[in-house]
Amino acid sequence: MIQSILQEKKRLVESRLQELLQTKEPAHRTLYDAMNYSLLAGGKRIRPALFLMGLDLFRVPSAPYIDAACAIECVHTYSLIHDDLPQMDNDDYRRGKLTNHKVYGAGMATMAGDGLLTYAFELLTGLPAAAPEIRCRLIMLLAKAAGPEGMVGGQAQDIEAEGRLLTPAELRTLDRCKTGCLLCAPLDMAAAIAEAGDIEAAELHEYGIHLGQLFQITDDLLDAGGTLEEMGKNPGQDAVMHKATYVSLAGADGARRLAEEEANLAREALAPLGDEAKPFRELAAWLLHRTK
């Protein structure tokens, strides 16, 4: 069931993404090409799918808010472009294709990431179905998740942690910011649009926290044992960059046990929501066993 849901959400998001980034200014053509190169390169689209699943949970029609889902994907794609840069992880492949800077150069890739980040908030300002105060809240939620107290803060921690042994608590804080915040934000944004009650919104947010940890642990496991064909990027980069991971701290078996714990905690967080939250529980199980 969850795979069909994810495919449906992916189709909706990618159909809209194809329409968005267009320019009539010839001088901007290379920039737009670079932005679209990464934005339309595929991927699982987990983050916008979570947002659309959140709307479904609260029985809010998703069509009027598809641009908010696309805004989330724009921010995620920007982060991947910047994460791959030579000054960062210096990766050659992403989603099975050459990384943006390998095609367009580091300078243009940086601009492509910057363009996607700022365009995301332009999209959020133009949601006709959302009242102005809801639009402002969506902007705040996504900006906070992506900013210095969220994803960017986690990336900065990641740079400073290279070559240093982290404690489990330090690694958890790093990954909660670097990965978890942008998985919680789509759920928080859906709850904001639905004007969900505080308890329901908190339960969904708690689920997002554990889902983020689960995603990162399985990502660490894939980096340690996956292949380029499976992952769409070169494996083993964490070891090359001397990064602390759940595998380096706990070993592969220990990391798998931690992943199982997080999957269980994610499912438990949504227990009060009953059968309506079944797709979210299935998503946790699917991520636990993912191979790419």
Side-chain angles (χ1 to χ4, degrees):
M1 178 181 173
I2 187 58
Q3 287 182 312
S4 64
I5 291 174
L6 291 175
Q7 284 300 316
E8 176 207 355
K9 305 308 183 191
K10 179 177 178 177
R11 180 184 59 77
L12 291 171
V13 170
E14 292 188 341
S15 176
R16 181 58 176 151
L17 289 175
Q18 293 277 355
E19 302 171 346
L20 286 176
L21 285 169
Q22 310 290 334
T23 181
K24 295 180 180 179
E25 175 53 68
H28 298 162
R29 177 59 57 199
T30 302
L31 173 62
Y32 274 73
D33 287 348
M35 293 164 72
N36 277 311
Y37 176 81
S38 293
L39 187 63
L40 304 180
K44 294 179 285 294
R45 312 296 192 191
I46 293 290
R47 292 153 188 83
L50 274 172
F51 170 75
L52 296 175
M53 287 169 62
L55 294 182
D56 289 346
L57 177 68
F58 295 117
R59 300 181 182 177
V60 175
S62 60
Y65 300 103
I66 192 67
D67 280 2
C70 292
I72 294 165
E73 187 62 24
C74 283
V75 171
H76 176 55
T77 302
Y78 126 78
S79 75
L80 300 181
I81 295 173
H82 281 200
D83 196 39
D84 291 336
L85 287 169
Q87 299 88 341
M88 298 286 283
D89 287 352
N90 195 25
D91 275 321
D92 293 340
Y93 293 94
R94 173 71 68 173
R95 292 173 171 170
K97 299 173 64 176
L98 286 172
T99 47
N100 200 292
H101 70 273
K102 286 290 181 179
V103 178
Y104 293 97
M108 188 58 70
T110 302
M111 294 298 102
D114 292 346
L116 287 168
L117 174 63
T118 49
Y119 183 65
F121 296 102
E122 180 182 337
L123 284 173
L124 290 179
T125 64
L127 295 173
E133 60 270 21
I134 297 296
R135 292 185 219 175
C136 287
R137 180 152 180 78
L138 296 179
I139 291 168
M140 183 277 291
L141 287 168
L142 188 56
K144 187 173 181 179
E149 290 295 314
M151 182 180 65
V152 171
Q155 293 284 22
Q157 289 175 261
D158 199 32
I159 290 173
E160 292 189 316
E162 287 178 9
R164 184 165 65 87
L165 183 64
L166 298 184
T167 66
E170 287 175 324
L171 181 59
R172 187 175 181 83
T173 298
L174 187 160
D175 289 331
R176 187 178 69 243
C177 294
K178 184 180 76 169
T179 303
C181 283
L182 210 59
L183 285 163
C184 283
L187 301 169
D188 295 338
M189 292 166 70
I193 288 171
E195 299 185 66
D198 291 344
I199 294 176
E200 288 180 317
E203 289 164 350
L204 205 55
H205 183 84
E206 181 72 12
Y207 167 84
I209 290 173
H210 294 298
L211 197 76
Q213 293 293 330
L214 169 62
F215 191 96
Q216 187 59 57
I217 296 167
T218 56
D219 202 61
D220 290 350
L221 283 163
L222 286 170
D223 185 79
T227 66
L228 174 61
E229 290 73 23
E230 291 171 333
M231 300 172 61
K233 60 181 181 179
N234 285 322
Q237 289 299 102
D238 291 335
V240 170
M241 301 295 290
H242 305 289
K243 291 188 176 184
T245 68
Y246 290 96
V247 175
S248 67
L249 262 64
D253 289 343
R256 289 189 190 94
R257 286 193 294 272
L258 289 171
E260 289 169 1
E261 290 174 12
E262 293 296 341
N264 288 333
L265 288 168
R267 289 190 286 258
E268 290 170 10
L270 293 182
L273 295 176
D275 288 343
E276 295 291 321
K278 183 180 177 181
F280 293 94
R281 289 190 282 272
E282 290 186 356
L283 177 59
W286 181 76
L287 286 176
L288 178 61
H289 300 291
R290 71 188 178 109
T291 58
K292 59 182 180 179

